[in-house]
Each structure stands twice: as C-alpha cells, then as structure tokens.
Amino acid sequence: MIIEFERIVEIVSEIKKLKEEEGGIKQVYFIACGGSLGAFYSADHFLKTEAEDIKSYMINSNEFLHNTPKAFGKNSVVVVCSHGGDTPETVKSAKKAYEADAAVIGLTYTPGSPLTEYCHYVVGYRFRTDIGESWEYDKPLVPVTIAAEILHQTEGYDHYEQYVDGLKKIDGIVRKAQEQTAERAEVFAEKYKDEKMIYTMGSGAAYGSAYIQSICIFMEMQWINSACIHSGEYFHGPFEITDRNTVFLIQISEGSTRALDERALVFLKKYADRFEIVDAKELGISTIDASVVDYFNQTLFTAVYDIYNFRLAEVRQHPLSVRRYMWKVEY
Amino acid sequence: MIIEFERIVEIVSEIKKLKEEEGGIKQVYFIACGGSLGAFYSADHFLKTEAEDIKSYMINSNEFLHNTPKAFGKNSVVVVCSHGGDTPETVKSAKKAYEADAAVIGLTYTPGSPLTEYCHYVVGYRFRTDIGESWEYDKPLVPVTIAAEILHQTEGYDHYEQYVDGLKKIDGIVRKAQEQTAERAEVFAEKYKDEKMIYTMGSGAAYGSAYIQSICIFMEMQWINSACIHSGEYFHGPFEITDRNTVFLIQISEGSTRALDERALVFLKKYADRFEIVDAKELGISTIDASVVDYFNQTLFTAVYDIYNFRLAEVRQHPLSVRRYMWKVEY
C-alpha cells in the first residue's frame, strides 16, 4: 500500500476513544488552501455522500479563520494540509482547532514544520523525490482514507472491505496509467503549448483534481488562463463558450457520476475540436470494486496529470517551479 | 418586504410539525443547476456556518440523481429551483425527493410548471418584468431566508431578529445601490466590451453571486471566457495569472470574510490595472446588523450586477437572451 494505512487506522481509533466521553465525532473539517484544499475534495465528497450523521465541511483556511462554523469544537476532527507546513492561514487554523480541543490531523511533507506544532497527529505522503516521474498523487488518497476510516469506526461503512482492497490496487493502476499516458502527453504538450486559455472539466468525488489542474498547474505554474467547470453545470451556462477553438481537458470518472462527464464529452465531440480526454476507465481503474471506485479517481487523475504537466512545462520551457509572485513578493 | 416571508414562516412551521414524529429535520439539500444552484450559495453557507446539527448540502441536480447521499430521505428538506420549472434534472430530483418522503420546497417563477408537480410547497420570486431595471435579485434571498427560518424554528437562531430586520431593509439598499452604480456600469461596459476573458472574485456567503456572474453572464449570455476565483484561494495559485492586462470583477463583501476580499484587492491595486470593484459596504449595506450582514451581500451583488450586465449587453450589441446551444440543440 502506498499510504500509511495502519497509522491512519490507529489515529482514528485513538481519536474515537478520546472523543467518546465528549459525545463522539460529529463533524469533520477539511481545512487548507489551493492545491492542498483541492486534495481534500474526495474526502469531503465521501462523507457528504456516505455518512448518515457526521457533517463534513471543506473550507479555505482563511475563510475558516474569519467565518468559523458554530458547530466547530471538541466534537470535531480537523484535517489540515500544507506541503511545506508553513502556509500562514493553515497554521493559524490548526492552532485555532488545537486550542478549541478539536482533534487535529496534519498532512504535510515537511516534518517539524510550524503546522505540526498544532497537530495531534501528523501523516506524511510521498513527493516527487520519492516516486520519480510523478508529483504527489497519494496526497488526495490520505484524506479520503481518513474519511473512510472515520466512517468505518463510527457509523460503519458497508463497503470498507472493498475500499481497503482498492487501496491495495491503486498504485499498480496508477503506474500502468502513467506509462499508458506518456505518448499522448507529448502530443498534448506540442498541440497546446501556445494556448492562452484551457478549461478543465470533471464531476463527483474527482472534481478536485480538475480544480487543482486548473488553479495550480495552468494558472499558477504555467500562467495560462483557466477555469474548472463541473460537467453537470456545463449545460447550464458554461457550454455557451464552446466553439472549435476553445480548449478543454476533460476527465471522465469511473463510478456514479460517469454519466455526467460522458454527456459533456458527447457535446464536445459535436461542437468542439480541441479537447483532451482523460478517462479513468480506459486507464484501468475498473479492477477496483464499483461500490468504491468513485473515491480512487482523484488519485489516478492526479498521477496522470503529472505526466501531462511535466511534458507541458518542458515543451513550453516554463518550469513548474517558476513563480512571479508566490514566495517572492508580499501578499 | 420583497419576498413572501410570512409564507416561508408557515411552510417551515408545517414541515417542522410534519417531521416531528419522524425524528425532525436533519438535513437540508439545495438542489438545482447553473444560476439556480448559485442562488442557493448563501443559504447553504448560512446553515454550514450557523447550524449545530442540521446538515446542509448544495448539489447540482444531475450529480444528486447519480450520486444520491445516503442520509437523504424522510428527515430531509429539499429545496429545488428552476426559473422555468422545466430543467429536466431538477424536475427528476424533485420527483426523487418527493417519492422518498422528503419535504420538497420548489422555487420557480413559473406556476404550474412540471417542477411544481413534485413540490409540497412552491415559493415564487420577482423577475425582470415585475421590477423593471433588474433581473431576479430576490432569488437568492428566498432560499437563505428558508434556511434562517429552518434554523430559527429548530435549533434556534440567535440573530433571527436582526435577520428579519435585514429583510425589511434590503430592498431600499438595493434600489439605492443600483442608482449609485448606473454611471460606473456605463464606464465598465465601454472599457471592457472587447474583452475575451474576465475573472470574477468573491468569498464567503456571497461567493455564489461571483459564480453566477461568471458562468451565466460572462460565459452563457456574453460568450466571454471567465472563471470565478475564491478570494481566499487567489493567493494559492490563481494570482499568478495576474498582470497589467488581466481583467477582474471583484466583489468586496461586508461581514466576516471582508478581510479576504480586501487582501485580494490590495494585491490587484499593486499588480493589476484593469479591475472593477463592487463593494457592498460602499453601496450602503452596513445599515443591516453586522451579525447577519453576510447573508445579504449576495442579493445586493446580484442586483448591482444586473445594472452592469444590461449596459454590457447593450454596448456589445449582444442581448442577454441570445444563445447558440441552450434550448436550441440537443444536449
């Protein structure tokens, strides 16, 4: 397994015991900024879909600080995430959660960072340096597994066994999918290297990977205008900008919302000429049980986008590390 | 008061009585598509912020149909919205809710439309023809008032009195703000009539009006590329596309998340040249009590955007009613 599953099981078990006398776990807050917030999408979606009673709320750190939900407190589990562990709003959010006696789980790549000071538990994930030709595709997998484990240990989760089985399979799937994508990533990079605007599209629990691709890769790391469109919303406004020139990167999830993505794709095939399809089913995700496959799409898409993004950055001679404002000016 | 407040009080009171024997109201689902979904933003945000126990979930109709939350059922209040009352996914969602013994409240401008067949209660709102130089600015006010009333009658809402006072004041504020905006809307339209891309920005309970402005006005009705950026997320990716040419329409909310919008504005003032500010405070919203003002921003912004949008459509000679796909082709 690619993530620290046993550790997550233990952490949740400890929190559950700790919170028992105080009325149990009633809310889970996923608090972060940008790509780290986007990495929570599947986790939040999981609880919104699967939980009977537990409330889930995914919120930007600064919004959480300024508009703290009334329910937040000792019955809350707070999951925070910051790669460097030093995003000021997220560190402050963790502190606020810690001081309110919420159970705080921190996701970071940076042990000993300021964030970890206010976390009862810290969980890591692998990064580029650990996995070679990829970035951080297990980053969304950790929080959704925390969500699944919380549900399993509290209300119960009917498909827990299938979920754990999926955890065992996903790394193999991802590796093959990355190989399978190598050539088309080259073609994509050459074809769209001069674009001024690229839309991303997705739905369901995997919408977060389209969001991250839009705001962190196209906008932040490549300075290409972008917007992330929900494929169910596409037909209620956004589709009017579709024409033979508009560029879309559309992800087709496997699972419950596949029909939404496929409907958008049918439209693109008719009225657009310039779109790239990333299809989780075609990329081999279906060996994971249908009851849980929704929650693995984001990890697969994230991993495959890495392949596209490295090629795009190379061809555009615009390294993914270049910034004009971030970490450079005051903001 | 501009909305049917007494009727909303009655509806909630009836639902509360009806659900009492079944364990009460446990979840509120706001289900719609596009602009009608965006109109729910403040309502969903209200419950996410103010409620202790009640769960709130705002979801695209087609996603709801394909990925129905497990908790959904007889303890749910479902609020659906469709202007024409004939959006297929939303009608089907209402039917699904009706058949699952949820209490269904329908928002529509079209009495007797297919949607109303599956609604236990129907609430209207005013539209352009009723209010002259505006569109539908009480559309977001109805659902947030339903949310406030539900909370008041169930868990209790500390600021209910201030909220009702706000309801009495908002129409006067809106009218003055629309007058105040008339001239700058002319300038905006002339200045940006040839733009290919306009970003919108906002935060908090009012984020929905930035979303609607982006997907329904710029994309759908003017065929201008657009994306809606959360002002708290701006600094964690999107701000890298900022330069002297990029165009932004930024809304500055009054209330808890004002600091987020102001921070983005400070950055724009330093690194961008082409942005339009719509500031709720400057437009006179502050006569509404600070404890509830968050929930009136969306109504004000929606009303003020109407003024901008009518001018923009005129100057661009691109009427807001023109479509290339919507209602015209199969999708």
Side-chain angles (χ1 to χ4, degrees):
Chain A
M1 253 185 242
I2 53 173
I3 59 164
E4 302 176 77
F5 178 61
E6 289 308 325
R7 174 150 173 75
I8 291 170
V9 172
E10 268 170 47
I11 290 171
V12 172
S13 159
E14 267 192 52
I15 294 175
K16 195 198 157 197
K17 234 176 275 168
L18 233 105
K19 295 291 169 197
E20 233 153 39
E21 288 173 20
E22 290 170 332
I25 298 167
K26 292 189 179 170
Q27 314 93 19
V28 183
Y29 295 94
F30 297 99
I31 305 170
C33 297
S36 292
L37 184 64
F40 284 153
Y41 201 89
S42 286
D44 179 59
H45 200 273
F46 176 94
L47 286 175
K48 282 204 169 76
T49 305
E50 307 287 350
E52 275 290 336
D53 294 317
I54 291 173
K55 286 213 251 193
S56 182
Y57 194 0
M58 171 182 160
I59 185 169
N60 168 274
S61 308
N62 214 13
E63 184 148 322
F64 171 78
L65 288 173
H66 286 87
N67 185 58
T68 311
K70 303 274 183 296
F72 166 77
K74 64 180 172 44
N75 297 107
S76 308
V77 175
V78 169
V79 190
V80 288
C81 180
S82 166
H83 185 76
D86 54 359
T87 312
E89 306 97 297
T90 307
V91 175
K92 277 186 211 161
S93 295
K95 183 170 187 279
K96 186 166 194 168
Y98 193 90
E99 288 170 354
D101 288 326
V104 186
I105 307 175
L107 259 68
T108 180
Y109 186 67
T110 319
S113 56
L115 185 73
T116 62
E117 197 183 322
Y118 304 109
C119 294
H120 298 98
Y121 310 94
V122 175
V123 187
Y125 52 86
R126 298 174 311 163
F127 189 56
R128 191 169 180 183
T129 39
D130 314 307
I131 41 182
E133 181 71 346
S134 194
W135 204 288
E136 45 179 23
Y137 65 79
D138 39 1
K139 193 169 164 187
L141 196 59
V142 173
V144 70
T145 302
I146 292 171
E149 190 61 36
I150 288 174
L151 193 69
H152 170 63
Q153 292 198 29
T154 55
E155 301 181 10
Y157 175 37
D158 284 350
H159 304 294
Y160 184 71
E161 208 179 298
Q162 291 92 326
Y163 184 88
V164 176
D165 184 62
L167 278 182
K168 290 174 191 157
K169 287 176 178 161
I170 187 67
D171 202 44
I173 294 167
V174 156
R175 292 310 188 160
K176 265 192 215 154
Q178 287 184 318
E179 279 171 34
Q180 201 177 329
T181 320
E183 257 183 71
R184 50 184 102 161
E186 304 267 5
V187 177
F188 176 87
E190 279 299 335
K191 200 166 166 187
Y192 299 117
K193 63 178 188 294
D194 298 319
E195 288 315 313
K196 302 280 175 260
M197 170 94 208
I198 303 177
Y199 285 101
T200 64
M201 225 191 301
S203 69
Y207 179 80
S209 33
Y211 177 74
I212 294 172
Q213 180 65 17
S214 180
I215 72 154
C216 296
I217 305 299
F218 292 138
M219 296 173 90
E220 175 184 332
M221 301 190 192
Q222 292 295 303
W223 308 345
I224 296 170
N225 287 306
S226 184
C228 178
I229 302 170
H230 187 283
S231 58
E233 290 285 276
Y234 178 58
F235 298 100
H236 302 276
F239 77 151
E240 285 285 332
I241 48 84
T242 309
D243 63 22
R244 301 287 166 198
N245 283 316
T246 320
V247 182
F248 295 89
L249 171 62
I250 182 168
Q251 60 187 40
I252 314 288
S253 288
E254 178 58 336
S256 67
T257 66
R258 185 171 181 85
L260 278 68
D261 303 330
E262 282 181 337
R263 183 181 170 206
L265 182 58
V266 167
F267 192 87
L268 288 182
K269 284 181 173 168
K270 211 163 170 182
Y271 298 103
D273 280 332
R274 309 177 73 218
F275 51 90
E276 182 73 11
I277 307 164
V278 179
D279 182 343
K281 190 176 181 178
E282 187 241 336
L283 292 172
I285 207 170
S286 308
T287 55
I288 293 177
D289 195 81
S291 62
V292 298
V293 72
D294 284 52
Y295 306 115
F296 292 92
N297 286 307
Q298 183 167 4
T299 299
L300 175 59
F301 290 137
T302 303
V304 164
Y305 290 157
D306 281 347
I307 306 300
Y308 278 93
N309 298 334
F310 290 138
R311 288 301 84 76
L312 188 65
E314 264 174 31
V315 171
R316 299 184 81 234
Q317 299 185 295
H318 184 127
L320 296 168
S321 56
V322 173
R323 301 288 186 282
R324 42 186 155 187
Y325 309 116
M326 195 177 272
W327 314 308
K328 287 187 157 177
V329 304
E330 209 182 310
Y331 53 88
Chain B
M1 254 184 240
I2 52 173
I3 59 164
E4 301 175 76
F5 178 60
E6 289 308 326
R7 173 148 174 76
I8 291 170
V9 172
E10 269 171 48
I11 289 171
V12 172
S13 160
E14 266 191 53
I15 293 175
K16 194 197 157 198
K17 234 175 274 169
L18 233 106
K19 295 291 169 198
E20 234 153 38
E21 289 172 20
E22 291 170 330
I25 298 168
K26 291 189 179 170
Q27 314 92 19
V28 183
Y29 295 94
F30 297 100
I31 305 170
C33 298
S36 292
L37 183 64
F40 284 153
Y41 201 88
S42 285
D44 178 59
H45 200 274
F46 176 95
L47 286 175
K48 282 203 169 79
T49 305
E50 307 287 350
E52 275 289 337
D53 293 318
I54 292 174
K55 286 213 251 192
S56 182
Y57 195 0
M58 171 181 159
I59 184 169
N60 168 273
S61 307
N62 214 14
E63 184 147 321
F64 171 78
L65 288 173
H66 285 87
N67 184 58
T68 311
K70 302 274 181 298
F72 165 77
K74 63 181 172 45
N75 296 106
S76 309
V77 175
V78 170
V79 189
V80 288
C81 181
S82 166
H83 186 75
D86 54 358
T87 312
E89 304 97 298
T90 308
V91 175
K92 277 185 210 162
S93 296
K95 184 170 186 277
K96 186 166 194 169
Y98 193 90
E99 289 170 355
D101 288 326
V104 187
I105 306 176
L107 259 68
T108 180
Y109 186 68
T110 319
S113 56
L115 185 73
T116 62
E117 197 182 323
Y118 305 108
C119 294
H120 297 99
Y121 310 94
V122 176
V123 188
Y125 52 86
R126 296 173 312 162
F127 190 56
R128 192 172 180 179
T129 40
D130 313 308
I131 41 182
E133 183 71 347
S134 195
W135 204 288
E136 45 179 23
Y137 65 77
D138 38 2
K139 193 169 163 187
L141 196 58
V142 174
V144 70
T145 302
I146 292 172
E149 191 59 38
I150 288 174
L151 193 69
H152 170 62
Q153 292 198 28
T154 54
E155 301 180 11
Y157 175 37
D158 284 349
H159 304 294
Y160 183 71
E161 209 179 297
Q162 292 91 325
Y163 184 87
V164 176
D165 184 61
L167 279 181
K168 290 175 191 156
K169 286 175 178 161
I170 187 67
D171 203 44
I173 294 166
V174 157
R175 293 309 190 163
K176 265 192 215 155
Q178 287 184 318
E179 279 171 34
Q180 202 177 329
T181 321
E183 257 182 71
R184 49 185 102 162
E186 305 267 4
V187 177
F188 175 87
E190 280 299 336
K191 200 165 165 187
Y192 299 116
K193 63 178 189 296
D194 298 319
E195 288 314 313
K196 303 278 175 261
M197 171 95 208
I198 303 177
Y199 284 102
T200 65
M201 226 190 300
S203 70
Y207 179 81
S209 34
Y211 177 73
I212 294 172
Q213 180 66 16
S214 181
I215 73 154
C216 296
I217 304 301
F218 291 139
M219 295 173 91
E220 175 184 332
M221 301 191 192
Q222 293 296 302
W223 307 346
I224 296 170
N225 288 306
S226 185
C228 179
I229 302 171
H230 187 283
S231 58
E233 289 285 276
Y234 179 58
F235 297 100
H236 302 277
F239 77 151
E240 285 285 332
I241 50 83
T242 308
D243 63 23
R244 300 287 166 199
N245 282 315
T246 320
V247 182
F248 295 89
L249 172 61
I250 181 168
Q251 61 187 39
I252 314 288
S253 289
E254 178 59 337
S256 67
T257 65
R258 185 173 181 86
L260 278 67
D261 304 330
E262 282 181 338
R263 183 181 171 206
L265 182 59
V266 166
F267 192 87
L268 288 182
K269 284 182 174 168
K270 211 162 170 182
Y271 298 102
D273 280 333
R274 309 177 72 218
F275 51 90
E276 181 73 11
I277 306 164
V278 179
D279 182 342
K281 189 175 181 180
E282 187 240 337
L283 292 172
I285 207 170
S286 308
T287 55
I288 294 178
D289 196 81
S291 62
V292 298
V293 72
D294 284 52
Y295 307 115
F296 293 92
N297 286 307
Q298 184 167 3
T299 298
L300 175 59
F301 290 137
T302 303
V304 164
Y305 290 157
D306 281 348
I307 306 302
Y308 278 92
N309 297 334
F310 290 139
R311 288 301 85 75
L312 188 65
E314 264 173 31
V315 170
R316 299 183 82 233
Q317 299 185 294
H318 183 127
L320 297 168
S321 56
V322 172
R323 301 287 185 282
R324 41 187 156 188
Y325 309 116
M326 196 178 271
W327 315 307
K328 287 186 157 178
V329 304
E330 209 181 310
Y331 53 87

